[in-house]
Amino acid sequence: CGVMKRVGITGAGGRIGSLLACAFVDTYKLRLFTYDPATENDVERLQAIVDHPNCEIVHQLNLSDAEAVKGRFEDLDVVIHMAANASAKQTWEQARVSNFDATMHVFEECARARVKRIIFASTNHTQNAIVAKPENLSFVDPYFLSHPMKLSDDAYPDSLYAISKLFGENLGKYYAWHKGLECICMRIGSFREHDDPHNILDPSTADHFKALY
């Protein structure tokens, strides 16, 4: 009791990762792993906490390099794995390196370092194909406007990105069963930087969200 938990965040240079870092820095000891900050806003957010006593930043960590990942999670209680190539149009090689290989290395190092829990960022793209069309991932089958998808429904991945996230979810099951690593998977639907869902003005976007949730 009274000991501040140590939390690692991969993808801390991204939009969600940098906001999580700013939100958690007064509560946890943070070790932030970045590769390339996504936007200038992300850079500014990290700069605002770089000198905070609870904050340690590890720049340019290539998670697809198993040797580079070794030892990075020592003494951490929790790892939040946000890092990924989030493009739904990425090639197999891009997905393999940034999502499959990197995620495997993160899980394996968490187990080796005896991290208690990993929180894995998954996506609504794992189910999106049932409501969309291959040529238009924003398409909505009208049926689903009155019959929203549920998390308990079968997976219908719409892209290699989605398949990589299903891979991560199943890695979580494997490592929980075989290595005792607690795993929480979050299927993120959409993220609004200013926390205001009302600024979604495009009716087709609104319908798409209604169908999924």
Side-chain angles (χ1 to χ4, degrees):
C1 292
V3 177
M4 189 173 286
K5 285 189 176 181
R6 303 182 65 88
V7 176
I9 303 176
T10 71
R15 200 166 38 138
I16 301 178
S18 60
L19 282 165
L20 287 175
C22 291
F24 292 161
V25 73
D26 290 324
T27 306
Y28 304 111
K29 289 280 189 181
L30 298 182
R31 190 176 304 160
L32 308 178
F33 303 98
T34 73
Y35 190 63
D36 287 318
T39 69
E40 287 301 315
N41 286 341
D42 304 329
V43 173
E44 290 177 7
R45 279 192 288 269
L46 289 181
Q47 286 296 327
I49 63 173
V50 68
D51 294 323
H52 195 289
N54 289 343
C55 182
E56 172 192 356
I57 301 180
V58 179
H59 293 288
Q60 293 293 307
L61 177 62
N62 183 0
L63 296 174
S64 66
D65 182 345
E67 288 301 315
V69 178
K70 283 185 179 178
R72 296 296 189 175
F73 301 158
E74 295 291 344
D75 303 321
L76 293 178
D77 299 298
V78 178
V79 169
I80 303 174
H81 183 37
M82 300 298 307
N85 181 337
S87 171
K89 297 180 179 180
Q90 62 190 279
T91 65
W92 162 248
E93 185 61 18
Q94 290 170 325
R96 182 188 65 78
V97 172
S98 298
N99 295 358
F100 287 89
D101 288 354
T103 298
M104 182 71 209
H105 298 157
V106 168
F107 270 90
E108 182 60 23
E109 182 58 18
C110 281
R112 191 205 64 78
R114 298 188 181 277
V115 174
K116 181 179 179 182
R117 175 180 296 170
I118 183 170
I119 300 173
F120 176 69
S122 188
T123 177
N124 66 325
H125 286 268
T126 56
Q127 294 178 293
N128 188 47
I130 196 171
V131 304
K133 290 183 175 180
E135 66 275 14
N136 182 5
L137 296 186
S138 296
F139 171 81
V140 180
D141 184 327
Y143 170 84
F144 289 100
L145 290 176
S146 57
H147 298 80
M149 291 285 290
K150 301 184 294 295
L151 285 173
S152 57
D153 290 340
D154 289 340
Y156 288 88
D158 66 9
S159 57
L160 290 173
Y161 168 59
I163 292 171
S164 75
K165 290 301 184 178
L166 290 171
F167 170 74
E169 291 180 11
N170 282 287
L171 267 186
K173 294 177 183 178
Y174 173 84
Y175 275 87
W177 181 257
H178 289 279
K179 304 292 182 72
L181 174 63
E182 295 179 9
C183 181
I184 297 173
C185 297
M186 303 182 299
R187 285 185 179 170
I188 299 171
S190 180
F191 177 78
R192 315 304 296 180
E193 187 167 348
H194 301 293
D195 198 25
D196 181 9
H198 297 94
N199 62 5
I200 304 173
L201 301 180
D202 179 7
S204 64
T205 302
D207 284 346
H208 188 79
F209 289 163
K210 289 176 185 176
L212 281 169
Y213 307 103

